[in-house]
Amino acid sequence: MRRTTASLDTFELRAVPLGEGTYDSVVDGCEPAAWIPAVVPGGVHESLLAAGRIEHPYCGANERRADWVQEREWWYRTGFPHPGPGTARLVFDGLDTVADVWLNGRHLGHHENQFRPAAFDVTDALGEDNTLLLRFLPPLVGREPVASAAETIQRMLALMNPGDADGSADTERADTPGEGAAEDTYWTETMPVAASLRKAAFSWGWDFGPHVPSIGIWRQVRLEVAPSSTLTGHHVGLTHLADDHSTARVRVTVETAEPGTELSAHVTLRSPSGREFRGEAELWSSPSRSIEIPVDEPELWWTHDLGTPALHEVVIELRDGDEVVDTVTDSVGLRTLELNRAPDAEEGGRYFGFVLNGVPIFARGANWLPASAMVGSVGAATHRDLVLRATEGNLTMLRVWGGGIYEHDSFYRACDELGVLVWQDFMFANVDYPDRDAGLRHEVELEAEYQVRRLRNRACLALWCGNNEALMMRALVWGHLDEGADGTTGWGRRFYTDVLPGAVAAHDGLTPYWPGSPYGEENGVLSVIGTDDGDRHTWEVWHGLTMPGVSVGPTTFPSIGDARHYRRYADDTAKFVSEFGIHAAPEAATLRRWIPEEDLAVHSPVFDQHNKDHPKNKGDELLAVTTGLPEGLDQYIAFTQAVQAEGMAFGIEHYRRRQPHTAGALMWQYNDVWPGFTWSIVDHDAIPKAAYYTARRASAPVALSFRSTSAGDLELWLANNTRTPARLDVDVELGAFDGSDRTAHRVTAAAAPGESAIVWSTTAGEYAADAHHYAWASVPDGTAPSVRKHFAEIKDLRFGPSSLDVTAEPHALRIRATGYAYMVRIEQPEVGMRLSDNAFDLRDGDEVVVQVVGADPASLKVLAFPLPSRPTDRPVPGPTVPDPDTPPRSTRP
């Protein structure tokens, strides 16, 4: 017989008051109307929404109105017929989180881990007609707080908010009444309890998302029937690659349920071009056997910027004599991936850089979050579209953050197919975890083994990382990362130094492991600073960190806004930046889809409820320094997006100029879990912010950037992150915004693969670095994006009058500037629409054609950056745009 699988996805759902549900009362004693159709895979919130029982918790002020959901017992039920002869296993790929399972009245077991399956042998429990029942309990009921976690959190809050002791911090926070206190309760009360449960840390709220803890059957349920001899696992890895890529050796490890005298494994590796490579091995003596397959002229997997992400089909047959008893088919990429930790002879410390197929890369990317707080309802189409947008944005790495989830298979499949590397955190974040708890340690061991075996064949998998900021918080608060005499700590270090790397070594063995993020060893001492070794989270910007021994650069500033300014990225000498970011509002259309118009006033209670950072006016301090304070919602959106856009481009350009000493920059964050005010560059509705477009240009494989030196000189740099030398003609222009003087000349720029080089410079006395002038560099053949530099804060720049001629064409907008237009933005009202470019400057007379997909070009508004009026200045005229209610036309004033 062969293995068969049946999906179970037709469930009913009902609520029971906590403590009142029993198997008999739920099965026999409830009214039929108490049950509603359940969304499986999905969750309770999704099911209630589909049945019209709740309003969407992301809309307006609805977030806390769904709190009652986490206070009930939730029961699921379904029925199914007997699947036929054979060994039957009931497998729940994801139960969220505290669940009991009954089949035909028999209690199969209890499960408390969102991150690993629950599987039961049900061969002897099946009847002709079967009733399956599940109960989910409130996850945190009856749990005691982890004392170490509570104390560490209290110390961290005191360290980050020293004014709390005398009440000064309360004034600065300017929180919505009651909202800040509720979010503090999350950190001080909820997280120390949640640390003992294997559930996504962000479930209970975070500084980017709501308090909407998911619950229910969040991944597939299936009934498997198989013979006694089955394939239980496989691992395909490229273990040797010739320097010239002419030959390779592939190791295929095959694992079975039990060895047998007649069992053998037969492997076929089929390349994208159709070539086949075969190998086989007997399994009579061991349930696991490795097969070495030589491959000539291998078709390698590359990130999308370096080549083709080629995927091979691998077919593994398990044979009992001549009979095929089980088959597994997978898609794998052949590549080598190493983490370069060699000494940095020039700057000291050690490199932290990824090497793909022997090619050192600069990882240009961002941190990935679950695409919704309701994690079970995110589909494959959403994952693919978001990963595709990342490739369109020139991003080559996504970090799956440790406070979320191990993502759905469809996410990793999209990264494999589209050529994006994945930095994979294990799901530990920001708090102490009780590693002395034997039950929790066992759960972590099982979880780690399952996830490593699940993801080890992914071509995209670049790194296993032990945690997010758990080591950092411990080091900052306690001043050390010591462990006890028994090798445990009570705060989680045993997980990061023993359990997790042990699972990677035992079940992967090819992918590098890193204890945490941030983490490093500086002068032989464990460190989380990251300037000499390891990776770094650069939160001087936005949070304004000035902590001695941790922060880089100056520690005193003229204002809070200056302490939070993106210019501080220029002080950072990190080897690898795994988090850096700036807040910005979403697109106006996104806000209006989720927040009622009457609540869309800046810092209204509902407006601030969609901002989970503290203080709620933190961004205003930065705006005061950079753009000036906005007047109304439209300016708030424009100003915050402009600052984020400038900051992300500034940071990426700085870090790329530092290569190879800095080998990667991952923005915080790529996407959103809900429609809020966050650090994302793509909002909850998958609409890119201005920073997405500026980061795309700064992240192009070949990119130019300007740098002002401390002496006032101006430099033009070329960063080349391709596999071939770059040589291009560049037109460099120094000009005045009002067009009164524009001087240009052509230079030849060159950089070797993986190199950043100065290609032009001028001294301070040879150009005007003031609020009236700009520098601009462009490439006539378009092999690199144009880049510009301004010499004053946005609010101080003297752009002068400007207007835009906008003509709608089939699938495009033609835009021409009169005067200098800063941060030209095309509004994006349609979910799923695409623009070939956005958020760009135009000089007087410049004309661009922007391709439009998924929206009528004539319906789109084109906006130039609105500057606040100054007492001594006349207001800058706004652009002329097509009226969406009239036919498209050229409108030049």
Side-chain angles (χ1 to χ4, degrees):
M1 64 173 293
R2 305 288 293 273
R3 184 202 308 252
T4 61
T5 301
S7 294
L8 305 180
D9 54 13
T10 305
F11 283 81
E12 294 178 300
L13 173 71
R14 66 156 300 183
V16 174
L18 181 61
E20 296 184 13
T22 65
Y23 180 87
D24 291 338
S25 66
V26 171
V27 170
D28 301 325
C30 66
E31 297 294 328
W35 295 92
I36 63 172
V39 177
V40 175
V44 171
H45 291 90
E46 296 94 316
S47 304
L48 294 172
L49 281 168
R53 300 292 180 91
I54 62 171
E55 295 182 86
H56 204 296
Y58 298 173
C59 285
N62 290 342
E63 174 190 349
R64 303 313 294 261
R65 294 171 185 166
D67 279 354
W68 65 272
V69 173
Q70 62 183 301
E71 299 166 359
R72 302 287 195 275
E73 294 181 8
W74 291 96
W75 292 73
Y76 286 76
R77 74 177 180 185
T78 191
F80 59 90
H82 197 289
T87 300
R89 293 175 72 245
L90 183 61
V91 181
F92 301 89
D93 285 334
L95 297 178
D96 184 8
T97 296
V98 179
D100 287 89
V101 183
W102 289 266
L103 180 62
N104 298 330
R106 179 189 297 185
H107 185 241
L108 297 181
H110 181 76
H111 192 73
E112 293 192 2
N113 193 329
Q114 183 184 7
F115 303 132
R116 71 174 182 90
F120 308 97
D121 186 329
V122 295
T123 308
D124 297 333
L126 291 171
E128 289 304 311
D129 295 301
N130 301 278
T131 299
L132 177 62
L133 201 69
L134 293 90
R135 178 188 64 191
F136 289 89
L137 295 174
L140 302 184
V141 169
R143 295 181 182 276
E144 295 296 324
V146 178
S148 169
E151 186 173 2
T152 297
I153 289 170
Q154 291 286 3
R155 285 173 174 251
M156 176 57 76
L157 289 175
L159 185 66
M160 299 295 292
N161 301 286
D164 281 352
D166 60 12
S168 62
D170 292 335
T171 301
E172 186 201 359
R173 291 167 66 107
D175 288 326
T176 303
E179 182 71 13
E183 290 167 9
D184 277 351
T185 299
Y186 153 72
W187 281 107
T188 59
E189 298 181 11
T190 305
M191 278 304 291
V193 179
S196 64
L197 181 67
R198 298 307 297 145
K199 176 172 171 57
F202 90 109
S203 297
W204 319 105
W206 211 267
D207 58 6
F208 54 73
H211 178 93
V212 183
S214 55
I215 189 168
I217 303 175
W218 76 292
R219 282 187 170 153
Q220 184 184 32
V221 183
R222 63 185 190 277
L223 186 63
E224 295 182 346
V225 178
S228 57
S229 296
T230 58
L231 294 165
T232 58
H234 64 280
H235 187 199
V236 182
L238 185 62
T239 57
H240 172 76
L241 178 64
D243 290 342
D244 63 358
H245 296 177
S246 60
T247 61
R249 187 165 57 249
V250 177
R251 184 179 65 207
V252 182
T253 300
V254 180
E255 299 161 348
T256 62
E258 59 183 57
T261 57
E262 299 295 325
L263 287 181
S264 60
H266 298 254
V267 178
T268 302
L269 187 67
R270 187 172 295 111
S271 76
S273 64
R275 295 184 300 151
E276 291 188 351
F277 306 90
R278 300 178 183 274
E280 59 183 74
E282 302 296 327
L283 298 172
W284 59 270
S285 61
S286 172
S288 177
R289 184 62 61 88
S290 293
I291 302 168
E292 298 287 337
I293 301 177
V295 177
D296 61 292
E297 300 299 330
E299 298 167 54
L300 298 176
W301 186 93
W302 294 95
T303 50
H304 63 89
D305 60 324
L306 293 178
T308 300
L311 293 175
H312 292 60
E313 181 186 60
V314 60
V315 179
I316 304 173
E317 292 182 339
L318 181 65
R319 298 181 185 178
D320 189 349
D322 294 331
E323 180 187 2
V324 177
V325 295
D326 201 5
T327 303
V328 169
T329 301
D330 202 354
S331 180
V332 299
L334 304 185
R335 90 294 185 273
T336 60
L337 197 290
E338 300 168 309
L339 184 62
N340 177 21
R341 302 277 287 115
D344 183 345
E346 183 177 348
E347 286 198 354
R350 287 184 288 179
Y351 292 112
F352 188 96
F354 294 92
V355 182
L356 177 64
N357 298 325
V359 177
I361 66 172
F362 186 97
R364 312 181 308 276
N367 285 257
W368 172 276
L369 300 182
S372 174
M374 293 178 279
V375 293
S377 58
V378 181
T382 297
H383 287 138
R384 185 170 183 87
D385 184 68
L386 283 170
V387 175
L388 179 61
R389 281 197 187 271
T391 66
E392 293 168 348
N394 290 318
L395 304 187
T396 61
M397 177 176 281
L398 295 171
R399 174 184 171 225
V400 178
W401 172 71
I405 61 173
Y406 304 93
E407 268 299 346
H408 298 269
D409 288 342
S410 55
F411 165 77
Y412 301 102
R413 183 164 57 249
C415 291
D416 277 354
E417 293 173 352
L418 297 172
V420 177
L421 290 169
V422 171
W423 168 315
Q424 178 66 56
D425 281 5
F426 285 96
M427 294 301 117
F428 298 86
N430 293 71
V431 297
D432 290 353
Y433 291 86
D435 57 6
R436 289 192 178 115
D437 183 318
L440 180 64
R441 188 164 60 249
H442 181 62
E443 275 299 332
V444 172
E445 289 169 349
L446 294 176
E447 170 190 320
E449 176 182 347
Y450 167 72
Q451 293 294 348
V452 171
R453 289 170 59 85
R454 171 184 167 230
L455 299 179
R456 62 188 176 182
N457 291 310
R458 291 296 183 185
C460 61
L461 183 64
L463 185 76
W464 291 104
C465 178
N467 69 85
N468 172 78
E469 293 187 354
L471 289 170
M472 182 198 77
M473 285 187 64
R474 190 74 187 181
L476 294 182
V477 168
W478 298 96
H480 61 80
L481 295 173
D482 295 342
E483 57 186 28
D486 62 351
T488 65
T489 61
W491 56 264
R493 181 169 176 176
R494 171 60 65 88
F495 293 149
Y496 318 132
T497 61
D498 184 3
V499 174
L500 303 180
V504 172
H507 302 289
D508 184 337
L510 295 176
T511 307
Y513 174 81
W514 190 242
S517 181
Y519 180 84
E521 295 181 6
E522 301 191 4
N523 301 316
V525 179
L526 296 179
S527 170
V528 294
I529 301 174
T531 52
D532 286 344
D533 184 55
D535 71 306
R536 188 171 198 278
H537 293 184
T538 303
W539 285 116
E540 285 81 6
V541 177
W542 181 257
H543 290 312
L545 294 183
T546 55
M547 299 173 63
V550 176
S551 303
V552 297
T555 57
T556 59
F557 298 89
S559 69
I560 297 174
D562 288 292
R564 295 171 179 161
H565 201 291
Y566 56 79
R567 72 170 73 93
R568 293 187 69 184
Y569 289 136
D571 299 320
D572 192 7
T573 58
K575 300 299 186 184
F576 191 105
V577 182
S578 44
E579 288 188 15
F580 70 107
I582 296 174
H583 242 238
E587 185 77 8
T590 297
L591 289 175
R592 289 188 165 91
R593 277 188 287 269
W594 294 99
I595 299 178
E597 194 69 34
E598 62 268 22
D599 293 318
L600 274 178
V602 177
H603 295 312
S604 74
V606 176
F607 182 97
D608 277 351
Q609 187 177 343
H610 282 250
N611 174 13
K612 299 301 182 180
D613 196 22
H614 290 298
K616 303 295 186 182
N617 63 351
K618 181 183 291 185
D620 296 351
E621 303 283 358
L622 180 56
L623 295 180
V625 172
T626 52
T627 61
L629 292 176
E631 301 171 0
L633 178 66
D634 290 340
Q635 283 198 1
Y636 186 87
I637 294 171
F639 286 16
T640 59
Q641 288 206 14
V643 171
Q644 185 192 44
E646 297 284 5
M648 292 302 92
F650 184 93
I652 293 167
E653 290 171 352
H654 164 71
Y655 294 124
R656 290 187 74 182
R657 286 194 297 266
R658 282 185 41 76
Q659 67 178 333
H661 309 294
T662 299
L666 309 182
M667 293 175 284
W668 181 270
Q669 61 209 63
Y670 177 62
N671 59 320
D672 266 327
V673 305
W674 83 317
F677 300 88
T678 77
W679 299 263
S680 73
I681 62 169
V682 176
D683 71 27
H684 172 267
D685 290 357
I687 302 298
K689 300 178 185 178
Y692 169 89
Y693 297 99
T694 60
R696 178 170 72 180
R697 294 190 285 270
S699 299
V702 177
L704 296 162
S705 67
F706 283 106
R707 174 179 179 265
S708 293
T709 70
S710 57
D713 297 341
L714 182 64
E715 300 171 343
L716 180 66
W717 287 66
L718 178 64
N720 176 19
N721 290 110
T722 70
R723 295 161 58 194
T724 58
R727 186 176 182 86
L728 54 157
D729 292 331
V730 181
D731 291 330
V732 181
E733 178 179 293
L734 299 172
F737 292 124
D738 63 6
S740 59
D741 63 272
R742 292 172 72 168
T743 61
H745 52 279
R746 178 163 293 183
V747 299
T748 299
E755 180 187 51
S756 288
I758 300 175
V759 296
W760 173 85
S761 65
T762 187
T763 60
E766 295 178 343
Y767 74 105
D770 58 32
H772 297 274
H773 289 81
Y774 64 87
W776 192 288
S778 57
V779 181
D781 65 4
T783 53
S786 297
V787 64
R788 53 87 172 132
K789 182 172 181 59
H790 300 151
F791 301 103
E793 296 290 358
I794 301 167
K795 64 183 176 61
D796 299 322
L797 294 172
R798 298 300 193 260
F799 294 120
S802 67
S803 61
L804 300 174
D805 288 339
V806 180
T807 304
E809 300 178 350
H811 312 297
L813 285 172
R814 184 177 298 274
I815 307 170
R816 180 180 174 84
T818 299
Y820 191 102
Y822 169 69
M823 198 62 70
V824 177
R825 290 191 305 122
I826 304 169
E827 287 196 339
Q828 303 165 90
E830 302 295 332
V831 174
M833 66 176 290
R834 289 288 204 279
L835 298 172
S836 62
D837 202 3
N838 205 359
F840 46 79
D841 287 13
L842 293 174
R843 296 165 296 178
D844 182 39
D846 281 351
E847 182 176 277
V848 296
V849 177
V850 177
Q851 302 300 314
V852 179
V853 176
D856 177 6
S859 71
L860 303 179
K861 293 182 179 180
V862 182
L863 307 173
F865 185 80
L867 287 173
S869 58
R870 307 183 187 93
T872 57
D873 290 351
R874 296 174 59 190
V876 177
T880 305
V881 299
D883 186 332
D885 295 326
T886 60
R889 58 186 175 87
S890 177
T891 54
R892 179 165 184 163

